[in-house]
Amino acid sequence: MTLHEASSSVPELGVAMIGSGLMAKSHTMGYRNVESVYGSTPLRPRFEILADAGDELARNGATSLGYARWTTDWREAVGDPAVDVVDIVTPNFLHKEIAMAAIAAGKHVYCEKPLALSAADAQEMYQAAEAAGVKTLVGFNYLRNPAIAEARRLVAEGVLGDLWTFQGRFVLDACSDPDVPFTWRFERKRAGTGALGDLGAHVVSLAQVLVGPIASVVGLSRTFIPTRPEPTGVFGYGSGADLEAARHPVENDDATTFLMEFASGATGHIEASRVATGRTWHQSIELIGSRGALQFVQQDIHTLRLYVTGDPVERKGYKEVELGPAHGDYGAFWPFAGVPLGVHELKTIEVNELLHAIAEDRPADGDFEAGWRVSQVLDAVEQSATERRWVDVS
Amino acid sequence: MTLHEASSSVPELGVAMIGSGLMAKSHTMGYRNVESVYGSTPLRPRFEILADAGDELARNGATSLGYARWTTDWREAVGDPAVDVVDIVTPNFLHKEIAMAAIAAGKHVYCEKPLALSAADAQEMYQAAEAAGVKTLVGFNYLRNPAIAEARRLVAEGVLGDLWTFQGRFVLDACSDPDVPFTWRFERKRAGTGALGDLGAHVVSLAQVLVGPIASVVGLSRTFIPTRPEPTGVFGYGSGADLEAARHPVENDDATTFLMEFASGATGHIEASRVATGRTWHQSIELIGSRGALQFVQQDIHTLRLYVTGDPVERKGYKEVELGPAHGDYGAFWPFAGVPLGVHELKTIEVNELLHAIAEDRPADGDFEAGWRVSQVLDAVEQSATERRWVDVS
Amino acid sequence: MTLHEASSSVPELGVAMIGSGLMAKSHTMGYRNVESVYGSTPLRPRFEILADAGDELARNGATSLGYARWTTDWREAVGDPAVDVVDIVTPNFLHKEIAMAAIAAGKHVYCEKPLALSAADAQEMYQAAEAAGVKTLVGFNYLRNPAIAEARRLVAEGVLGDLWTFQGRFVLDACSDPDVPFTWRFERKRAGTGALGDLGAHVVSLAQVLVGPIASVVGLSRTFIPTRPEPTGVFGYGSGADLEAARHPVENDDATTFLMEFASGATGHIEASRVATGRTWHQSIELIGSRGALQFVQQDIHTLRLYVTGDPVERKGYKEVELGPAHGDYGAFWPFAGVPLGVHELKTIEVNELLHAIAEDRPADGDFEAGWRVSQVLDAVEQSATERRWVDVS
Amino acid sequence: MTLHEASSSVPELGVAMIGSGLMAKSHTMGYRNVESVYGSTPLRPRFEILADAGDELARNGATSLGYARWTTDWREAVGDPAVDVVDIVTPNFLHKEIAMAAIAAGKHVYCEKPLALSAADAQEMYQAAEAAGVKTLVGFNYLRNPAIAEARRLVAEGVLGDLWTFQGRFVLDACSDPDVPFTWRFERKRAGTGALGDLGAHVVSLAQVLVGPIASVVGLSRTFIPTRPEPTGVFGYGSGADLEAARHPVENDDATTFLMEFASGATGHIEASRVATGRTWHQSIELIGSRGALQFVQQDIHTLRLYVTGDPVERKGYKEVELGPAHGDYGAFWPFAGVPLGVHELKTIEVNELLHAIAEDRPADGDFEAGWRVSQVLDAVEQSATERRWVDVS
């Protein structure tokens, strides 16, 4: 007999997914692939329940994503004893209520960004989780990716010297067409800010982990397209609209640009735009220090551009470092350098961090506290744009 | 009661994986993610058996990749009644024996490239599969990716006009270091050719689907590093070696460059190298026609560079088309354009093609016949390099 | 007799060059090549006098650059009856005195940027020239280059739609080394601002010709390297210093970053830095509108990246327009597209504009009025950085 | 008295220019700017005579380019006692006759490439010049540019180790339009080969100075557009044609691709095409060795991409070296790195080499002997394409 049963003694972790859209798919594949990617896992996800607003969404989501049960009432999922972690991938305005309920039920929480509609809400969520002793994670996506992991290491080891300036952009043109229909994303009370919270939040989180606390900001926001047609059945960025439909006023920013002073004295600039005509999905950072500098463009996922002083003048130049097993968790995916990792694949890195934080009873990198600190900056930027002045980050 | 059991009536497909290395991981994640990615699947993979050469490799592979059983005897896997498809991710020299056994057992076969060590072997495999009525697929990786799918569509619709020239490269420097140890990849009878079969095969397959049959070739091969140290326990590209170890003569090409005449009259050039110092993982094609042209660099996975004649002279220029839902299967992964897909993610596209071919009882795009046609070109290139003359592809 | 004397009836224009450094060389080659480049000229430059501070500088400059006479007293040059145009390529603090003297003597004036140390000075210079009826030009370098000429045309014709956001950078690392010696460039009263005036001025001039008047600004300046060693004989960016030398406090900004509101409602951001470690000479702009966008990187001189809405979704993408005879004055240099023009060559375009303005008795594009309008913005940025608030451009 | 006469004791060199087109302009500006650029010159060019085929061309050329006399009989120019160097910028088929006459008259000769229509002719020219003791130069354009000068230095100092592979391309689409009219460039007896001689010659010259002698070649040529309309008055690439005009068969190659074996054992591939649809003006090389590699794209004139082994694995990567004063003659143009040099500016480097060769009585880098060696390779490629076999370079 040469066929053996495979077995595993790894403890399981029951997952409830609240939402069935793109991020539900991405998070679920992260849980599902984490052991294959890393070769082992401290906790083996078990796909318990998927919840979404309607029967069809919930049923189809559970089936195609592989959850054992489905419901249209997220409270069922949050309260289920087989569930250990609640994963929130709903529109922004639902984050707080679901997370607070999950925390109250003693569940770990993994929530998409922005964590909340205000820093005050985010603080409440963070403090509740801390009090309850559950682990949390915000879906920042980028904090532990190979390029950023390497950038953080370079900064920590002083390779770049004193940090002087940070530049960050997250700009795309998903909403440049004035006939992209009005959805919750354009609504102040359900989305919070627009480009600032949706896109800028990512860059703020990178600025904070790379350069440290942001002390003060001054920003400028614009809603270049003041009204949008009511949607007609279909949803989401890019969906068609009935051009005869009534037009609804847009309630948040299409584009925000702001300057920053870091506590360290470094300066920075961030631009976020959902109407950056021609830019499909451009996210980039540049960090300049006294002894080196780095550039990273998210689309060029396989490369970190790095400059370090000290080369002879005839060899001075930015280096295109191909990311590989020497950088962050890259080696879990591929044994040779230079291969692009996919956006869904990167979610696996975040899931792995969550599983380890739970298993090791330690805060996750990018937890609700980090989410709260991002929210503080976003609130200050919004205030500075409204009041047309510098605002200190509280 | 608002919690419902999820259920699926999709028929299952038992998978046996022969091998437990990188490609085993990649294929397995492809099978596992295909339904989540596409939202539905015609056949739901069931992970039956993983086979590898030693107990530890087989057991660990089965556990981390999620196979129910493991074995060190691939014949057990091939013969198991619960297995419907045999997936071969072993060193090249084992492909034929395993595939022939699987075909004889009436199993579908998914085999990594190069399909075989010679065109004659590949032909035998193809004909056996055809006679047995089983479906086959060669792991070409790139044939149906969004960029190539779009390129094939552009060619088919005549957007590029008459095709004139093809350029393709697959060059990397995994073996530039003369102390990369001697493994089966450097051995003629277990690997076949070197860079030509390992890297050039990919480019030949792209040339054939884009430009059509290759009529004749003339090539030049070099083994720039004539000997390599015997390995010391560890394996694979990039592994360390005992520099005191005896050095073994390398038996196949480090680099091959060749010209091609297509049956259509188009000309082409392909370069394959495993000693392209400084090139981490560079694969690129350029196709020029009478009315347009395109360029694709595999690392820049999110972009297809496209030129079409007819613009006013002040607007003439190559366009960087960001790949998106309008291109091939991209939309299964992401609803907005411009996001890089990972190499493992792309394997899902190939798996999806295999599952549909089996379910629809039709040949897969990239089946053993296609593998055989690639092998014919590789054999001709090798002969032309040896005999220093043009050779017709038989 | 088949050999004929060549003759020209083009009137001449006597040139006096005040300064003998890099810009003297560049301007002189501009005058000298203008007729060869354009095939004809309305005025043929005659190289009368070169003035510089010391005998050797003045004599060598006149000899190698081909001026008939030299002097160490610029007033001699300004007052000479054979001189029609005075060309000022001295350190910034001398611009005003020389220009005012030249204007008083009824000479046309071509002056390097920044025009003056303050907007008040610049205004005085502009008004004096207007009163005297002489033509003026500021050496902005970039206003009429093929890429910018084409960008201005695209904006003027509405191809980009409503203009929404402008991004501009001029960053380099000439002063990243803390041992770059203290020269006039670091001195407030001889250079004015630092990176802002030296580098930012260029980008402001581009912003104004492309997007229109700037209404208000808020900026942030830093002197990251607070002291520099006294120079020891040698001069200029990058020259060596005696590391034992006393260190002198730097008096102006190493880096300035600022937000802008245009009168049109568009927003903008400009960054200028002389300590952008790793950036050798990076100047770039991005202009986004409702119907299109463009990007230009000065180093990639042969390409204007252009996006225009309206393509079918599968062909959406930025186009790399290779500049050519269809764009601005490119055709004067080269009859086919895609060839880089050199920085000195581009100076010829500016000289051609000056000669035509004089010959046609019209203001030059980029005259002292334009220089004054740039200075107004620079003054407002400086004030906003000092006072930490938004400042209206007067 | 503070105004001094400038004077120079530099000996003069009388120049005769045969031709008045683009290259006449470029060469003339080279002669005219050489002293300003370099600060000094061993010989000061004196612009004696310009010759072209018709009165208007010759007169206008002399006037705008600044020659003292003009003629329609090039023999007058060649024989004039005030002429020291004869500069040949005519169509290819006239090179030999004019050069032989100039050599017979004891003049130095600067001739555009390709030097002659056959290696036999080129050899005759080279040997005549050597016998006459005159200096010669072929207008290869690229041999001494900063990037290539640096590449040659890197090779010479062994930085790249043993050289393994060379890739070179010169492809453009000036003739992709089938209605580009038939001119001398498409005629075998006046142009020689097509893309091979016009474009490929440049790359062959680079291959030879970087990698050494080429031992054997095998190539493939195509005339993708078999006929072109007779021209109607206007001339040159890109000029309009009367589409009703009779079409004339094209007599030379639109595109040639060939493999090379260098005497050293290195391999290479060169592609030349005048019908590379979408490629405006693309010239690039890649050189890979055992310890390093480099890439250079002519349009990206400011950057040499360089890879050298030995970095720690986390810092492995190609470096974008910004060319500057440390590289070749760059410093004559600009004191800081990173600035693009223009195509005309680069001609100044070639002129400087010619003037120094004459003044120092030594062969110029890129003389007729070098031109002959290029012609030998071109002849062998043409023969190999005709005879469909490898051909040794005699």
Side-chain angles (χ1 to χ4, degrees), chain C residues 2 4 6 25 32-33 36-37 39 64 67-71 76 280 299 302 322 332-333 337-339 342-345, chain D residues 2 4 6 25 32-33 36-37 39 64 67-71 76 280 299 302 322 332-333 337-339 342-345:
Chain C
T2 57
H4 309 267
K25 180 165 153 175
R32 183 170 289 135
N33 293 329
S36 295
V37 165
S64 71
Y67 287 80
R69 293 170 288 161
W70 59 269
T71 177
E76 291 274 352
T280 305
Q299 286 190 317
H302 60 96
E322 297 281 351
F333 293 87
V339 169
V343 173
H344 291 309
E345 287 178 355
Chain D
T2 58
H4 309 267
K25 180 165 153 175
R32 183 170 289 135
N33 293 329
S36 295
V37 166
S64 72
Y67 287 80
R69 293 171 288 163
W70 59 269
T71 177
E76 292 274 350
T280 306
Q299 286 190 318
H302 59 95
E322 296 281 352
F333 292 87
V339 170
V343 172
H344 292 308
E345 287 178 354

Side-chain angles (χ1 to χ4, degrees), chain B residues 390, chain D residues 188 193 196 217-221 256 258 375-394:
Chain B
W390 281 94
Chain D
R188 186 65 190 80
T193 57
L196 176 61
V217 294
V218 63
L220 198 52
S221 288
T256 291
F258 60 99
S375 288
Q376 288 179 304
V377 175
L378 302 182
D379 278 15
V381 172
E382 195 184 6
Q383 187 184 356
S384 83
T386 305
E387 300 180 3
R388 226 180 124 75
R389 63 173 184 85
W390 282 92
V391 170
D392 290 344
V393 177
S394 57

Side-chain angles (χ1 to χ4, degrees), chain A residues 294-313:
Chain A
L294 59 83
Q295 299 168 2
F296 178 59
V297 177
Q298 181 64 32
Q299 286 190 319
D300 301 336
I301 181 77
H302 60 96
T303 307
L304 179 69
R305 291 172 53 86
L306 176 66
Y307 177 81
V308 179
T309 55
D311 284 322
V313 64

Side-chain angles (χ1 to χ4, degrees), chain A residues 17-33 47 50 52 60-62 64-67 87 89 110 112 343-345 347-348 351, chain B residues 32-40 329-335 341 345 348:
Chain A
M17 183 66 56
I18 317 300
S20 69
L22 178 62
M23 280 301 105
K25 180 165 152 175
S26 196
H27 286 216
T28 300
M29 290 197 290
Y31 290 115
R32 183 169 290 134
N33 293 328
F47 300 91
L50 182 143
D52 207 339
N60 289 350
S64 72
L65 298 179
Y67 286 80
D87 195 314
V89 292
Y110 180 11
E112 266 305 305
V343 173
H344 291 310
E345 287 178 354
K347 212 67 187 175
T348 311
V351 166
Chain B
R32 183 171 290 135
N33 293 329
V34 66
E35 187 171 358
S36 295
V37 166
Y38 284 89
S40 67
D329 287 1
Y330 180 101
F333 293 86
W334 205 258
L341 301 185
E345 287 178 355
T348 311

